[in-house]
Amino acid sequence: MASKDLKFNTKTIHGGQKPDAGYGAVMPPIYQTSTYAQTTPGGHKGYEYSRSANPTRTALENSLASIEGGTHGMAFGSGLAAIDAVIKLLQPGDEVISTNDLYGGSYRIFKRIFEKFGIVFHFVGMQGVNAVQEKINSKTKLIWVETPTNPMMNIIDIKAIASLTIDKDILLAVDNTFATPYLQKPLELGADIVMHSATKYLGGHSDTVVGALVVKDQELADRLYFIQNASGAVCGPMDSFLVLRGVKTLHVRMQRHCENGKAIAKFLYNNAKIEKVYWPGFEHHPNHKIAKEQMNDFGGMISFVPKGGSYEEAIKIVERLRVFTLAESLGGVESLVGHPASMTHASIPKEERLKSGIVDALIRLSVGIEDVDDLIADLDQAIA
Ligand SMILES: *Cc1c(COP(=O)(O)O)cnc(C)c1O
């Protein structure tokens, strides 16, 4: 059966994989090597130097291409290294339209690294397509979408944004870190590039930092592969192995993340001490209809604001939590809590943060796969 005909849960385990040619190892070995013996100059078995390609990395790249429904995957040393490669497709003077409510590090690399090379970034709220449409001109070469957004859990209609790029020389890239292909497949909705911080749900165990791109077009794959090899921010064999192992349980982990996320979103919503809860599964969430259309479930990321909450009150709550660990990052088996204003989003100026609703009291949860009763009891004592 060709990999592309398999269903999703089967693809996470078998997609793009075959037993190792050497000894039939079921898990791809960690090919911890920089170079490969040649019989005559150029006489090799497909690998000559591990920046250009490494068999463990290839196994991961094929797996990622399979689960995202793409044709080519590329693994990088971090999510930001993957973003870096995408922006390097552009020329000085080119314009990018990006989601305004996005991962702080993405904002930082756009503004602080690439703006000085003459690339122009526009940050807009993308819940309506009009705001995006208004910014499109002949210099627009890339639209950067993150959905669900971080940390406000807004949902952006990928298909509607993709429709703006038809017949235009504009690439649509979607950061699929929060949703993962278990919940949403941007390439099927019209995106050209899917980007991941595989550090998060794909790896799933908070044990490595890895990034990835997946595309469905040979020409674009060639251009990105050239950048991957020429700039060299590749993912090492051990890290490739760890993410590959993580992907094999992505579907079972995601199912539990979603179940626990739903129970916690409801607990917070019904708690008198909580002012606001951001989770796309609520029917009253402003983008719930699109979330239902483009996602299979609603994920394990939730943000909330305590009633009358101040910066200090939010800090107290995150410090009181015992099962939730106060830490950057998300998407691991363990539940994490973060305070965006002082942590993940501290690199975004306060006025910009407030424009997207990131108030000082906002708290973000990455709900893990522990027993949900323990998680709820922990939140209950921290809020009370
Ligand atoms: C973590 C994250 C990134 C950056 O990835 P790294 O692996 O930390 O470099 C990008 N986008 C989102 C949504 C993230 O959560």
Side-chain angles (χ1 to χ4, degrees), residues 301-343:
M301 296 301 299
I302 300 167
S303 294
F304 69 96
V305 181
K307 211 162 248 170
S310 59
Y311 190 95
E312 292 72 25
E313 176 62 13
I315 300 278
K316 268 190 213 146
I317 291 175
V318 301
E319 285 178 352
R320 276 190 215 119
L321 286 162
R322 293 286 168 262
V323 183
F324 282 83
T325 303
L326 177 61
E328 306 264 355
S329 200
L330 61 110
V333 290
E334 64 289 299
S335 292
L336 299 181
V337 59
H339 179 238
S342 66
M343 296 169 70

Side-chain angles (χ1 to χ4, degrees), residues 114-172:
F114 284 109
E115 220 169 56
K116 68 175 181 237
F117 294 114
I119 295 167
V120 178
F121 293 89
H122 302 283
F123 296 91
V124 302
M126 291 195 176
Q127 280 80 266
V129 290
N130 288 350
V132 182
Q133 177 88 65
E134 276 169 21
K135 288 277 184 242
I136 292 181
N137 62 51
S138 61
K139 292 182 185 149
T140 310
K141 289 291 178 293
L142 175 69
I143 299 180
W144 188 269
V145 168
E146 195 179 307
T147 181
T149 67
N150 177 13
M152 299 311 295
M153 311 300 152
N154 292 311
I155 303 295
I156 295 164
D157 187 340
I158 298 172
K159 225 188 235 173
I161 304 278
S163 73
L164 302 177
T165 67
I166 290 170
D167 297 331
K168 293 197 182 77
D169 184 20
I170 302 175
L171 291 169
L172 172 59

Side-chain angles (χ1 to χ4, degrees), residues 81-317:
I83 296 175
D84 180 83
V86 174
I87 306 302
K88 283 175 177 163
L89 291 166
L90 306 176
Q91 303 290 331
D94 285 352
E95 297 191 8
V96 180
I97 306 171
S98 164
T99 315
N100 61 348
D101 165 21
L102 85 167
Y103 179 68
S106 308
Y107 179 86
R108 182 177 57 198
I109 194 174
F110 293 165
K111 291 291 287 184
R112 307 268 305 273
I113 304 283
F114 284 109
E115 220 169 56
K116 68 175 181 237
F117 294 114
I119 295 167
V120 178
F121 293 89
H122 302 283
F123 296 91
V124 302
M126 291 195 176
Q127 280 80 266
V129 290
N130 288 350
V132 182
Q133 177 88 65
E134 276 169 21
K135 288 277 184 242
I136 292 181
N137 62 51
S138 61
K139 292 182 185 149
T140 310
K141 289 291 178 293
L142 175 69
I143 299 180
W144 188 269
V145 168
E146 195 179 307
T147 181
T149 67
N150 177 13
M152 299 311 295
M153 311 300 152
N154 292 311
I155 303 295
I156 295 164
D157 187 340
I158 298 172
K159 225 188 235 173
I161 304 278
S163 73
L164 302 177
T165 67
I166 290 170
D167 297 331
K168 293 197 182 77
D169 184 20
I170 302 175
L171 291 169
L172 172 59
V174 175
D175 182 337
N176 208 26
T177 301
F178 268 36
T180 83
Y182 176 84
L183 295 179
Q184 113 191 330
K185 296 206 186 60
L187 296 177
E188 287 176 6
L189 297 168
D192 302 291
I193 302 172
V194 169
M195 175 260 151
H196 274 281
S197 170
T199 311
K200 317 292 169 55
Y201 287 106
L202 296 185
H205 294 74
S206 307
D207 51 10
T208 184
V209 174
V210 170
L213 300 176
V214 179
V215 300
K216 57 183 176 185
D217 173 83
Q218 179 75 51
E219 196 254 345
L220 183 56
D222 290 345
R223 287 167 65 203
L224 285 167
Y225 173 71
F226 177 81
I227 295 167
Q228 184 194 31
N229 185 45
S231 284
V234 295
C235 165
M238 180 72 199
D239 298 304
S240 299
F241 175 89
L242 287 171
V243 175
L244 194 56
R245 182 162 81 155
V247 168
K248 287 176 192 285
T249 56
L250 177 67
H251 51 299
V252 282
R253 287 186 287 108
M254 286 307 291
Q255 187 180 353
R256 183 63 66 85
H257 283 297
C258 292
E259 285 167 18
N260 285 359
K262 182 177 183 178
I264 288 176
K266 289 191 170 163
F267 162 77
L268 291 169
Y269 186 70
N270 292 320
N271 191 302
K273 296 205 162 66
I274 301 302
E275 172 94 36
K276 257 191 133 110
V277 186
Y278 300 94
W279 178 67
F282 289 130
E283 269 177 42
H284 63 260
H285 183 287
N287 320 122
H288 179 68
K289 199 170 145 276
I290 298 159
K292 258 180 96 168
E293 272 170 30
Q294 77 183 13
M295 297 170 75
N296 296 320
D297 206 332
F298 306 107
M301 296 301 299
I302 300 167
S303 294
F304 69 96
V305 181
K307 211 162 248 170
S310 59
Y311 190 95
E312 292 72 25
E313 176 62 13
I315 300 278
K316 268 190 213 146
I317 291 175

